[in-house]
Amino acid sequence: MFGLSRAKPDLIVHSEEPLNAEPPLDRLRSGFVTKTADFYIRSHGNLPDLDVETHKVRVRGKVGQRLDLTVDDLRRRFTPKTVTAVMQCAGNRRADLQQVEKTTGDPWAPGAIGNAEWTGVPLADILRAADAAEGDDLHVAFDAVDIAENEGAEDAPYGVSIPMTKARSGEVLLAWAMNGEPLNVEHGAPLRIVVPGYAGVRSAKWVGEIRVQDEPSDAFQQAKDYLLFPPDMHKETQDPARGTTIYEMPLNAAICEPVAGAELSAGKTKIKGYAIATDRAITRVDVSMNGGREWRQATIEDHGNARWSWTFWHTTIDIPAGQHELVVRAWDAAGQTQPAQPDEVWNFKGYLSAAWHRIRVTAV
Ligand SMILES: Nc1nc2c(c(=O)[nH]1)N[C@H]1C(S)=C(S)[C@@H](COP(=O)(O)O)O[C@H]1N2
Ligand SMILES: [Mo]
């Protein structure tokens, strides 16, 4: 059966079956590490009920040594590692693109993102133990046991892959814990992949098999879905050959407090949010209260050397009575910033919505 675990009583639910839900933005912004209870859930099918003691992940394909690993085997045979990393849906902020023109998919606000402490074993160590082939042009596929509902295709087990170069980096984990607790069923218990810096889709939950192969996965999620299409392509005309596989996520930022539509008291108001540039530093965050005609710089909060995390920022503005459009845009260490309007990045699947985040508020 579907349903929110008792730990998640009050997320905003976009769909019950499959379960898709995100936290209100003020709660999202309340901790640099997102509480599991406030962490968005994105599923494509059922939530499998697997036994933590007996479930085995198979390691197959171009390996010298096939492995079958339970959580206990992983703990005993390898050295655990904890990585603090953002998980972010490729559809985060899709609602803004839907203002431009209809897209497929759920209307996510900026809450399809969270930053957690993931504990597991580096995929690199597992591949080494399996004596896996190492070529840079290889791919590592993840087959999961949930049955995904695929639009325009048969239901089938969820599957994705990542390039071998990423798989061999130490940051990719086969994880059994989130924020120091065993994974909840909705986050992939007992074992999931965590791919820091990549769209959440690559971080397969409920993983059953890890496979080294020559080509990317031919599963629906990898081959047909989660592609960035040009703006002239539509649902009826879609051609996967013209799509770009979404791996790394673009520069993005969002205002979390106040929330869109808020009624505020005129005067000093604190504005808070997040920014993220995948593997680059956020160097500047600009906030405007007149739709982007004038900008001021927000304070970037120091969270040490958290390479795969997001960046929190805040500022206080003096807001006169009336209606205002509050806007944020971030800059990264390569001097790049975000597009001004969602029209510039519209695509029919509603992915990578990363234009300036704008919210309307009223001060009285
Ligand atoms: N097996 C499986 N893995 C999956 C999914 C899924 O539906 N099935 N959804 C993916 C997507 S699109 C995202 S954004 C993340 C969401 O992870 P979360 O639900 O733990 O936040 O899981 C990914 N891994
Ligand atoms: Mo996603």
Side-chain angles (χ1 to χ4, degrees), residues 222-255:
Q222 184 76 25
K224 303 265 170 65
D225 210 2
Y226 293 91
L227 300 167
L228 182 66
F229 284 113
D232 63 308
M233 183 137 291
H234 288 82
K235 196 171 156 187
E236 301 70 31
T237 58
Q238 62 183 296
D239 171 8
R242 287 190 61 207
T244 305
T245 304
I246 298 169
Y247 289 120
E248 288 188 337
M249 291 294 285
L251 176 63
N252 213 335
I255 299 170

Side-chain angles (χ1 to χ4, degrees), residues 90 139-140 142 158-163 166 195 197-203 215-230 239-250 347 349 351-352:
H139 298 261
V140 180
F142 310 122
Y158 183 96
V160 285
S161 62
I162 59 173
K166 182 72 174 179
V195 188
Y198 277 17
V201 60
R202 309 295 157 213
S203 294
E215 303 291 335
S217 168
D218 59 8
F220 184 82
Q221 286 68 36
Q222 184 76 25
K224 303 265 170 65
D225 210 2
Y226 293 91
L227 300 167
L228 182 66
F229 284 113
D239 171 8
R242 287 190 61 207
T244 305
T245 304
I246 298 169
Y247 289 120
E248 288 188 337
M249 291 294 285
N347 58 96
K349 282 185 176 264
Y351 293 136
L352 312 187

